[in-house]
Amino acid sequence: MRGNKFCFDLRYLLVVAALAFIYIQMRLFVTQSEYADRLAAAIEAENHCTSQTRLLIDKISQQQGRVVALEEQMKRQDQECRQLRALVQDLESKGIKKLIGNVQMPVAAVVVMACSRSDYLEKTIKSILKYQTSVASKYPLFISQDGSNPDVRKLALSYDQLTYMQHLDFEPVHTERPGELVAYYKIARHYKWALDQLFHKHNFSRVIILEDDMEIAADFFDYFEAGATLLDRDKSIMAISSWNDNGQRQFVQDPYALYRSDFFPGLGWMLSKSTWSELSPKWPKAYWDDWLRLKENHRGRQFIRPEVCRTYNFGEHGSSLGQFFKQYLEPIKLNDVQACYYLPCVFVAITPFFLSTQFFSFVQYVLYLEFCVKVDWKSMDLSYLLEDNYVKHFGDLVKKAKPIHGADAVLKAFNIDGDVRIQYRDQLDFEDIARQFGIFEEWKDGVPRAAYKGIVVFRFQTSRRVFLIAPDSLQQLGVEDT
């Protein structure tokens, strides 16, 4: 009985063990199936990743091929640019050599600043070439264009007698004050670029700056050659100008007269390389001409100007919108006939006609032969314009002038023979007197236009000079107020 029970328990245990074994095997099978599925998924993911990696590698290879191709293209373009630059430099060099010839030291380069007015520019070029051709070796001519106006470019390139330069500026302009004209900023950039090119790249010692709306006088180049000597000798002279702000026909007479001025005239002027090296690093963003008139920039240096202008500005339309043109620019006297001489005609007669009554009736008045010549600047002694000499020279002129006081200055000046001087109290008083005569009233940084030590001089009606003098002008000149 007990043995039977033991056998039953053993069978029961075997059944339980078998069931446990079957369960464990089933669990192992399920687990293995899961791992097999995961492994298959992992393998599939790995294969997909490998495929994507290969695809990415292919793309990278393609991009690398493109990068290499672009690098090679850039190298070719860079090489072409270098070749073009070398070609341009060679052409410019040939152009300069053609203009300069065998002369190593020209007096000055002449640059015409142009933009988009081809009709004005053509008139200016013709005026310059009329007198420059015979002295081209001394004054190589350049046209500097700001921008890409095709008519201006075509016109400039049509002349073999000049060298063309082009300033392309794509940088946006940000004006400092609302309502300002962008043109004044572009002009300042163009001037700096052009003068840097001529002084630093082409290594000229002096440059004469003209604009594309100017005509020049017959003695323009002789005048600047004489001025170059002054510029080299006297470091208190900042520039030589061919312009007189009060150069209207009614206010000028003597083509030989030159003056020093504390006010920068502009409109046809010559600058030295040493002065430009000082100005270039601090060149203004706009209004460069008014900037040059600031005392902090000209630092006590002065400008040489003529009584009779050697340039004429015909540009009624431009960036200044014709400001003051009718009143101040159009009436300017260009020095067309510098000096005329009238000599009695001498007749040598050996025929009966010259002894006849008819002949004496014909010459019952005196005949004169007129001939005109240019001012001979080369033979003139301009040492009176040097700083150490000019104060006394100008002071003597002012001292000899008769003082006028009170109202009706114009009427009083008209009724006095010889030079006169009129003292003004301040800027408002000066403007009132200047308005009566019709000269420029404008001041910049405390200096009237064309003034020297506060004195503005001009002719009135005849050869009579009128000196408008500041309260301290006589003291600056060392002249006693009698």
Side-chain angles (χ1 to χ4, degrees):
M1 184 84 165
R2 185 175 297 175
N4 291 336
K5 186 176 179 180
F6 175 76
C7 291
F8 175 78
D9 292 339
L10 184 59
R11 285 194 300 272
Y12 179 76
L13 289 173
L14 288 172
V15 170
V16 171
L19 291 173
F21 177 76
I22 292 169
Y23 175 76
I24 291 170
Q25 289 296 320
M26 290 178 64
R27 292 293 301 170
L28 286 173
F29 177 77
V30 170
T31 303
Q32 287 175 349
S33 298
E34 289 178 355
Y35 277 115
D37 292 340
R38 291 179 182 178
L39 181 61
I43 292 172
E44 183 179 358
E46 183 182 2
N47 292 335
H48 179 71
C49 183
T50 302
S51 176
Q52 292 295 320
T53 301
R54 288 175 180 173
L55 182 62
L56 183 59
I57 291 172
D58 292 340
K59 290 183 178 180
I60 291 173
S61 299
Q62 292 175 1
Q63 294 297 327
Q64 285 179 338
R66 292 179 182 176
V67 169
V68 171
L70 286 172
E71 288 178 348
E72 291 178 354
Q73 185 179 354
M74 286 178 64
K75 288 179 181 178
R76 287 196 302 271
Q77 290 179 344
D78 186 54
Q79 186 177 5
E80 290 174 357
C81 286
R82 286 198 299 269
Q83 291 173 349
L84 286 172
R85 281 195 295 267
L87 178 61
V88 169
Q89 290 174 357
D90 182 57
L91 289 173
E92 287 181 349
S93 175
K94 288 179 180 177
I96 295 171
K97 288 177 181 176
K98 178 177 67 177
L99 291 170
I100 298 177
N102 296 323
V103 180
Q104 295 182 352
M105 293 295 292
V107 175
V110 180
V111 61
V112 179
M113 310 298 286
C115 182
S116 59
R117 302 184 295 186
S118 59
D119 53 342
Y120 280 11
L121 179 61
E122 183 174 15
K123 187 175 181 180
T124 298
I125 292 175
K126 287 180 178 179
S127 173
I128 295 171
L129 292 180
K130 182 178 179 181
Y131 305 111
Q132 183 261 359
T133 303
S134 61
V135 291
S137 61
K138 293 182 179 181
Y139 299 95
L141 177 59
F142 292 78
I143 302 297
S144 182
Q145 180 188 3
D146 185 31
S148 56
N149 182 280
D151 294 331
V152 169
R153 176 183 169 85
K154 181 180 178 181
L155 175 67
L157 291 174
S158 68
Y159 287 92
D160 294 331
Q161 303 97 315
L162 57 84
T163 300
Y164 172 73
M165 305 192 305
Q166 186 176 30
H167 175 234
L168 296 175
D169 180 15
F170 301 106
E171 184 180 347
V173 175
H174 302 289
T175 59
E176 295 182 350
R177 291 175 290 275
E180 286 185 299
L181 290 176
V182 171
Y184 290 115
Y185 287 79
K186 287 188 168 291
I187 289 170
R189 290 181 184 179
H190 182 203
Y191 267 73
K192 185 181 188 311
W193 177 85
L195 291 174
D196 279 343
Q197 291 284 307
L198 293 169
F199 279 122
H200 300 319
K201 180 179 178 181
H202 296 301
N203 203 31
F204 287 106
S205 58
R206 306 175 203 89
V207 174
I208 299 171
I209 301 100
L210 293 171
E211 296 172 15
D212 62 354
D213 54 0
M214 290 183 178
E215 292 179 288
I216 67 172
D219 65 339
F220 175 88
F221 292 108
D222 290 341
Y223 168 77
F224 274 108
E225 187 166 358
T229 303
L230 289 172
L231 200 60
D232 293 342
R233 288 181 63 186
D234 189 346
K235 298 306 177 185
S236 71
I237 298 174
M238 191 170 191
I240 308 292
S241 176
S242 59
W243 183 260
N244 174 12
D245 283 308
N246 294 317
Q248 295 77 21
R249 291 181 177 274
Q250 65 271 30
F251 300 129
V252 299
Q253 187 178 80
D254 186 358
Y256 294 93
L258 302 181
Y259 298 89
R260 291 179 75 110
S261 174
D262 297 309
F263 192 98
F264 171 63
L267 295 178
W269 54 291
M270 180 169 64
L271 188 69
S272 69
K273 184 176 182 178
S274 59
T275 302
W276 177 248
S277 296
E278 169 199 334
L279 297 176
S280 178
K282 56 181 182 179
W283 194 249
K285 295 180 180 179
Y287 311 107
W288 65 267
D289 48 351
D290 284 343
W291 179 82
L292 275 177
R293 290 165 183 145
L294 297 178
K295 295 174 183 175
E296 64 188 70
N297 294 318
H298 62 73
R299 298 190 304 170
R301 288 168 291 186
Q302 291 155 347
F303 309 90
I304 301 297
R305 67 161 182 88
E307 178 173 314
V308 182
C309 291
R310 265 60 186 185
T311 46
Y312 178 79
N313 189 305
F314 58 83
E316 183 174 3
H317 306 289
S319 57
S320 296
L321 304 178
Q323 185 182 25
F324 305 134
F325 181 82
K326 288 293 183 183
Q327 183 177 358
Y328 296 113
L329 300 183
E330 191 174 47
I332 286 289
K333 163 71 174 175
L334 179 66
N335 188 45
D336 49 2
V337 177
Q338 291 74 19
C340 292
Y341 300 90
Y342 298 88
L343 298 180
C345 291
V346 178
F347 293 89
V348 178
I350 58 172
T351 63
F353 169 75
F354 290 98
L355 300 177
S356 66
T357 306
Q358 293 88 340
F359 172 73
F360 288 107
S361 298
F362 178 70
V363 292
Q364 56 185 332
Y365 57 89
V366 179
L367 294 177
Y368 282 91
L369 173 67
E370 175 185 354
F371 66 93
C372 300
V373 296
K374 293 193 301 182
V375 174
D376 186 6
W377 291 107
K378 294 179 182 179
S379 66
M380 290 185 63
D381 181 9
L382 301 180
S383 59
Y384 71 92
L385 289 165
L386 298 175
E387 184 179 27
D388 294 337
N389 302 332
Y390 191 74
V391 172
K392 183 179 185 311
H393 166 80
F394 193 70
D396 288 343
L397 295 178
V398 174
K399 185 177 182 179
K400 294 174 183 177
K402 185 173 182 179
I404 292 179
H405 304 284
D408 299 324
V410 176
L411 181 61
K412 289 179 180 178
F414 182 79
N415 291 324
I416 294 177
D417 292 330
D419 296 346
V420 299
R421 69 176 190 249
I422 304 168
Q423 181 172 316
Y424 58 89
R425 295 184 300 276
D426 49 29
Q427 182 173 347
L428 289 176
D429 191 34
F430 173 89
E431 291 172 353
D432 180 61
I433 298 171
R435 195 177 302 115
Q436 293 179 48
F437 282 101
I439 66 169
F440 254 108
E441 306 166 28
E442 185 183 19
W443 288 38
K444 293 289 183 183
D445 201 17
V447 180
R449 279 189 180 266
Y452 171 73
K453 297 190 181 299
I455 302 175
V456 175
V457 56
F458 57 94
R459 306 277 177 175
F460 181 60
Q461 302 294 338
T462 62
S463 60
R464 175 195 302 110
R465 290 189 186 93
V466 175
F467 298 90
L468 303 186
I469 65 174
D472 61 343
S473 294
L474 296 179
Q475 182 181 355
Q476 292 186 60
L477 292 173
V479 175
E480 289 188 16
D481 189 357
T482 57

